[in-house]
Amino acid sequence: MPQLQTLFWSARDKRCRTGWRLLGEVVLSVVISWLTLGFLSTAHSPFGISSGVFWGSRVFIATLSVWLARRWFDRRSFQSLGFVWNRWAMLDLAFGFWMAGFLIACIFAVESLAGWLTIQGFVWQQLPLGAIARRTLQEFLIIGVIASWTEELVDRGYRLQNLTDGLNLPLGIILSSIPFGLRHLGNPNATWLSTLFIMLAGGFLAYGWVRTQQLWIPLGLHAGWNVFESTIFGFPVSGLERFRWVESVVDGPTLLTGGAFGPEAGFLAVFSWVLGVLLIHAWTAGRQPRQTASSDS
């Protein structure tokens, strides 16, 4: 009987073992999603759930499921996932956001200089500035803030850190990046190669947490990548065509440009992530990361 108990419970840490903690978070997410979407479908008009309510529900589901799992299963604080607000927090958010813009600008410049990208027009030729500002803010909130928060909280927050605790850092990065990639497999123009590259992107996003033990760099980086890739420079974001400032056509080697899926399905993005790792390393050099995952109970 004691041997069976050790399969589920760690006497040393006084909490469930890693696999059960991860399973518990998934179950919580499914149950909260079912209850939330069920409530919204009955509380709203027969025309369906509005876009704003839908995106808000994503934030609610991800945040509540991780918060409950962190308290019930991990016996740790939510803040210890990497939300310590200190003098570096805002700087790291801004660094991640603007570094992503720089990397996307490099990709845009390379494709333009190589003759693989042709600009056909700009949004201000069709819409007034007020409408552009409203749509840009909307995109910043949806594909920037909300997408970044929900995915980084779960993938680089809860899953990566629990897998690292239970196994080791390399396996934690690899195993937490697999579901991150697979979630994009159903997107338009997705392939198994684009899915593999998204998994590599998961490793790139994880590096900011590895260096700081905080999620501020991954959050800023993820938000900035989506906003600059799609809204500012006009590329598809993981296969999805959204509101964009620049109307362009990409006609180059798909292995390099990513084709209709967008840059993250091409080797140019992989090269940019290597550069990004070097920039993150330089930005965080000399810092002593705060160890929160194992010490904060």
Side-chain angles (χ1 to χ4, degrees):
M1 189 69 176
Q3 290 181 339
L4 181 61
Q5 184 180 9
T6 60
L7 293 174
F8 299 91
W9 186 259
S10 170
R12 185 192 67 181
D13 295 333
K14 295 183 174 57
R15 59 178 180 170
C16 301
R17 291 199 175 275
T18 300
W20 299 109
R21 299 199 302 269
L22 292 167
L23 178 61
E25 187 275 327
V26 171
V27 171
L28 279 173
S29 179
V30 170
V31 171
I32 294 170
S33 297
W34 179 70
L35 292 173
T36 302
L37 296 178
F39 169 78
L40 291 175
S41 64
T42 57
H44 281 75
S45 71
F47 299 105
I49 300 171
S50 68
S51 174
V53 171
F54 170 77
W55 287 106
S57 69
R58 281 193 59 180
V59 174
F60 173 77
I61 292 165
T63 305
L64 183 59
S65 62
V66 170
W67 185 83
L68 290 175
R70 193 67 174 164
R71 300 304 301 181
W72 291 352
F73 307 137
D74 293 20
R75 304 292 182 90
R76 302 288 188 271
S77 69
F78 185 81
Q79 184 190 43
S80 68
L81 283 173
F83 298 114
V84 175
W85 190 260
N86 55 26
R87 67 189 183 91
W88 283 107
M90 186 60 73
L91 291 173
D92 283 347
L93 273 171
F95 167 77
F97 187 85
W98 291 107
M99 183 187 71
F102 169 72
L103 297 180
I104 291 292
C106 289
I107 294 172
F108 187 90
V110 169
E111 292 188 7
S112 298
L113 292 172
W116 300 335
L117 184 148
T118 304
I119 296 176
Q120 296 185 320
F122 300 94
V123 70
W124 46 84
Q125 296 171 332
Q126 305 169 18
L127 295 176
L129 289 180
I132 295 172
R134 286 193 299 273
R135 292 292 302 277
T136 300
L137 177 60
Q138 182 182 44
E139 292 299 292
F140 173 77
L141 292 174
I142 292 175
I143 66 174
V145 175
I146 293 176
S148 172
W149 173 259
T150 55
E151 294 188 339
E152 294 310 303
L153 176 63
V154 174
D155 293 315
R156 258 64 61 187
Y158 195 81
R159 292 175 182 171
L160 168 60
Q161 295 179 41
N162 268 288
L163 287 164
T164 299
D165 267 356
L167 300 170
N168 55 56
L169 179 60
L171 281 176
I173 292 174
I174 292 169
L175 294 177
S176 64
S177 296
I178 290 174
F180 178 64
L182 291 177
R183 279 203 304 274
H184 296 79
L185 187 57
N187 287 18
N189 304 302
T191 64
W192 283 105
L193 184 60
S194 70
T195 302
L196 174 62
F197 282 178
I198 293 289
M199 293 177 189
L200 293 177
F204 170 48
L205 288 163
Y207 190 64
W209 175 79
V210 171
R211 292 287 292 174
T212 64
Q213 299 294 292
Q214 301 298 314
L215 289 174
W216 305 120
I217 291 178
L219 284 167
L221 180 55
H222 195 148
W225 183 274
N226 285 354
V227 170
F228 280 100
E229 178 185 42
S230 177
T231 309
I232 307 301
F233 288 100
F235 292 115
V237 53
S238 299
L240 301 173
E241 298 281 357
R242 300 187 63 89
F243 171 78
R244 52 194 180 184
W245 289 5
V246 180
E247 198 70 41
S248 62
V249 173
V250 175
D251 183 21
T254 301
L255 273 177
L256 289 174
T257 66
F261 188 82
E264 60 259 44
F267 277 102
L268 284 180
V270 177
F271 298 148
S272 79
W273 298 336
V274 174
L275 174 59
V277 165
L278 297 175
L279 292 173
I280 292 172
H281 186 87
W283 174 256
T284 57
R287 274 199 247 175
Q288 294 295 323
R290 183 177 187 272
Q291 300 294 332
T292 58
S294 60
S295 63
D296 190 344
S297 59

